Each structure stands twice: as structure tokens, then as C-alpha cells.
Amino acid sequence: MTQQLKFKGTALFDGQKILSGDKVLILSEDRTIMDIVSADLAGEGVQEVDGILSPGFVNTHCHLELSHMKGIIPEGTGLPAFLTQVMEKRGQQDDAVIKTAEEAMWESGISAVGDICNGTATLAPKQHSPIYYHSFVETMGFVPVAAQSRLDYSLSVLEQFRRLNGDMHSCSVVPHAPYSVSKALFSLLSVIPDNTPISIHNQETAAENQLYADKTGAFLDFYQHFGMDASAFVPTGGTSLPAWLPYFKHLPVILVHNTFSTKEDVVFTKQHAPDAYWCLCPQANLYIEKRLPDISLLRSEGCAITLGTDSLASNHQLSIWEEIQAIRGHYPEIPLEEILQWATLNGAKALGISARYGSFEKGKQPGVIVITDKGSRRIY
Ligand SMILES: [Zn+2]
């Protein structure tokens, strides 16, 4: 018989509910969940842990490749100015810095990550990582005539990430944002077969909706600053989301940020992309725009919410627990077990890996973490 591991915390979160403290989690040596039983039936060898036991977190939005930009961009500039600085100060990526950032994610309890990639900087660090990665190879290009060549470049990056595919990796090619992708490029992306999930930066700034409403606002200065020709863009008179979402009708889509999404956007999404996930990166929103999405609206509309850390260019650490704390600080009425489900099971569903991650169901291998007042840490 194989060796079993048994853990008992002050409480146990199973992916959906917080169970009382008399429950013991039983795993096999290869990290597979075997059972959750009452303490009086658990037998010998139970390790007692001070804190809430939880499945490993799933971080559905990260940019590991920007890890070297920690502390470089000032806070509160607003998104267009932030992006200008990212593009100008991007500089050289650093393998050692990427490795340090991802080790910190693992130690703080993150088991799986949806990671945005513009190039191949994270290819080597991902190769032997204990973290599961879905690499979202990001494509952008606002000039319609360049759509095919921009996509071809991104597909060549995707091809390199495909070599990692297997038990611990998958990948897809995705649009960057509605203000950086032309209709022609959206259209090309929408017909790529077996290319899921889709992820997109959505309504991260008021300037995005303003662009679509009447083609005014800070993005026009942004295009001019970088000599980008926006003459082909025609405003729709509405918010940005209805203009592009139909390209990915009925596909699993992860909408990232949603800081300026309206009730009409949410209703439209429920109609056109019922499998959408709403990824919140609260600390990055506070860093860049000093504002949070309307989380009450998303909850009242029954949206499936997930959590992301975004990058070290717009965050002080890559910790899902710190994102949870930021939400609790601003929305103390939301039950902890609900936010924990966003951070675990919902994230696993969004990345299409819930057969293995996100909850303590028998046969899964989600990792085991413990949460205390001081933070979260991996124990297995
Ligand atoms: Zn991002």
C-alpha cells in the first residue's frame, strides 16, 4: 500500500465550501486527493496545520515576461500613459528574474497560471516548472493591412510554446485588447481552429470605451505618440465590448480587468458568450487606474469570476492571496468562501483544467496550501 499524507487545518476549503475544522484531507504520495474524512475516522499520522487548507490557487492573468519591470513605472498614471512607459522602458528580459517571480508564485500557493506571452522569454523557465501554464500568445496590430503579418508573427511564437504542450502546458493565440487589435485581426483570430480559451484585456480604462463611442480620448494621443495610423478605425457609438465579442461567439473567453464594464456589457456577454469568465486583477487596477471594477454588478448578474495578478510592472507581488485581501478590503460583505472559489475552482474551469486543479475532489492533483492571517503558503 502506498504511503498516505493526512492534513488537518483549522478549517478546510474544498474548492466551493469552507468545511469545519474536524475534517482531514487524505492524499496519496503522488499528490492525488484520496478523501476528506472526519478526524475520528482519519487514523494515525495526521499533520496538524494552523490555518485554512485550500486547493492551490489558479492565477488566470499574469505576464511573467514583464517581471524585470518591477517598481519601474509610477502608480496612478492611467492606462494609456502606463502602456506608453511599458513600451518605452520594456528593455531586456531576465531569466533569473522570471525564475524568482515564478518560484514566489509557487511558494505562495499558485498551482496554475494563465500567462500572457509576446515573445519566447518565458519558454525556458516554463520547461521544468512545477506550475501548470497556459501560455496566451498575445497578438496586436491596429492597422488592418498589417493584420496577417502580425498574426503570422504570433503564430510563429505559438509554435515554439506548442513544443511544451503536454501534462503541464497548453497554449492559444489571443487578442491583446480592443484598442490594439483591428477588426481584420479579430476576424483572422476568430477562425483559428481549436484555439481556446480566448483571453483579452477588457475595458481596463475609460479611454477604451471613449474610443469606441466617438473616437476621442487618450488613445488617439497614444497612437500619435507611436506613429500608429488609426485612420481605419470607425467608432461604433457604444462601449467597446459589443464590437468584438461576437467574433468569439460561444467560445470560452476570459475577460480581464473589466474596470469600466457596464450592466449592458455584462448582459450582452451572457447572451453571446455564456462561457465567459470575468478575471479581476484588483491590485493592478489600483496601481494603474486607482479604481476597481464593479464587483457587486458582476456578482448580482451571476458572472463567473476568476482572479489574476497581472504583472510585476503593475503589482508589488504575484500573490493571489494579496488580490483576495484587496477585494476583502473594499468589499467586506463578500464571503471568503466565495472569493476562494474564484481563486481556485473558477480559475481552473476558465483554463480548462478543472479535471486536475481547483478543488479537493477525489483523483485531482490541485496542490495543498494553507491560508493564515499572515498570507498563503504551499504545504504540498
Ligand atoms: Zn495584463
Side-chain angles (χ1 to χ4, degrees):
M1 190 180 153
T2 57
Q3 185 78 30
Q4 291 183 341
L5 283 112
K6 301 173 185 177
F7 295 112
K8 180 177 176 297
T10 51
L12 185 149
F13 173 70
D14 66 1
Q16 288 175 295
K17 291 262 175 294
I18 294 179
L19 310 175
S20 72
D22 73 337
K23 295 286 187 288
V24 172
L25 178 71
I26 304 178
L27 300 96
S28 65
E29 268 179 323
D30 70 348
R31 298 170 189 261
T32 304
I33 304 298
M34 297 181 73
D35 214 346
I36 295 171
V37 300
S38 295
D40 53 353
L41 300 174
E44 304 275 298
V46 177
Q47 298 179 46
E48 301 234 2
V49 183
D50 188 23
I52 304 171
L53 293 175
S54 167
F57 292 137
V58 179
N59 176 0
T60 54
H61 186 73
C62 185
H63 300 246
L64 254 190
E65 66 187 10
L66 297 180
S67 297
H68 63 294
M69 296 195 71
K70 187 176 180 181
I72 288 181
I73 302 176
E75 299 188 34
T77 63
L79 185 69
F82 174 86
L83 289 172
T84 302
Q85 298 209 51
V86 170
M87 288 167 74
E88 289 180 347
K89 297 178 177 170
R90 204 171 173 123
Q92 202 57 41
Q93 281 128 341
D94 183 328
D95 270 12
V97 174
I98 289 171
K99 202 72 207 153
T100 302
E102 80 136 18
E103 280 168 9
M105 279 206 282
W106 173 252
E107 289 304 322
S108 73
I110 294 171
S111 290
V113 177
D115 186 50
I116 301 287
C117 311
N118 282 273
T120 55
T122 58
L123 201 56
K126 283 172 181 168
Q127 211 151 12
H128 303 291
S129 175
I131 294 177
Y132 177 97
Y133 283 101
H134 182 96
S135 293
F136 291 112
V137 174
E138 191 167 73
T139 193
M140 61 181 87
F142 208 52
V143 182
V145 57
Q148 187 64 57
S149 66
R150 300 308 291 257
L151 181 63
D152 287 347
Y153 169 74
S154 299
L155 290 174
S156 71
V157 175
L158 182 76
E159 206 45 53
Q160 302 199 54
F161 278 100
R162 274 203 183 123
R163 292 183 199 146
L164 301 184
N165 281 0
D167 266 8
M168 296 300 288
H169 187 265
S170 59
C171 55
S172 51
V173 58
V174 301
H176 168 250
Y179 54 79
S180 63
V181 174
S182 65
K183 282 171 79 170
L185 188 47
F186 271 123
S187 181
L188 290 173
L189 279 167
S190 70
V191 295
I192 297 174
D194 305 321
N195 185 50
T196 60
I198 295 297
S199 160
I200 184 168
H201 294 85
N202 178 54
Q203 297 173 310
E204 190 177 353
T205 174
E208 179 180 312
N209 283 336
Q210 205 182 341
L211 176 73
Y212 275 77
D214 56 10
K215 204 177 178 180
T216 61
F219 277 116
L220 295 190
D221 300 330
F222 177 82
Y223 301 141
Q224 198 176 27
H225 179 82
F226 288 104
M228 291 155 72
D229 177 10
S231 60
F233 177 79
V234 180
T236 59
T239 58
S240 56
L241 182 136
W244 64 265
L245 189 68
Y247 286 108
F248 306 106
K249 230 173 175 166
H250 301 297
L251 290 180
V253 179
I254 302 172
L255 301 159
V256 182
H257 294 302
N258 317 304
T259 329
F260 292 84
S261 299
T262 64
K263 181 166 181 179
E264 289 70 31
D265 294 322
V266 173
V267 170
F268 187 90
T269 303
K270 282 158 75 173
Q271 289 165 351
H272 292 82
D275 287 339
Y277 286 86
W278 300 76
C279 173
L280 308 180
C281 306
Q283 306 235 83
N285 302 147
L286 293 170
Y287 192 113
I288 299 171
E289 291 273 346
K290 294 204 176 295
R291 163 177 171 138
L292 287 178
D294 188 346
I295 301 178
S296 301
L297 167 69
L298 299 177
R299 289 178 76 219
S300 68
E301 290 295 322
C303 296
I305 296 173
T306 68
L307 299 182
T309 58
D310 216 339
S311 76
L312 285 174
S314 59
N315 206 336
H316 301 291
Q317 65 280 304
L318 304 179
S319 160
I320 288 294
W321 179 247
E322 292 299 328
E323 303 300 322
I324 292 172
Q325 291 292 69
I327 292 171
R328 293 176 85 199
H330 289 81
Y331 290 89
E333 72 279 13
I334 307 177
L336 177 61
E337 72 178 2
E338 183 180 335
I339 308 178
L340 285 174
Q341 183 175 334
W342 303 349
T344 55
L345 188 57
N346 283 12
K349 286 180 176 171
L351 294 183
I353 53 171
S354 59
R356 182 163 162 199
Y357 291 97
S359 68
F360 284 147
E361 286 168 80
K362 275 182 199 173
K364 291 193 181 184
Q365 297 173 311
V368 183
I369 70 172
V370 63
I371 298 165
T372 68
D373 290 344
K374 295 193 187 80
S376 61
R377 69 183 167 86
R378 177 171 303 279
I379 58 170
Y380 200 55

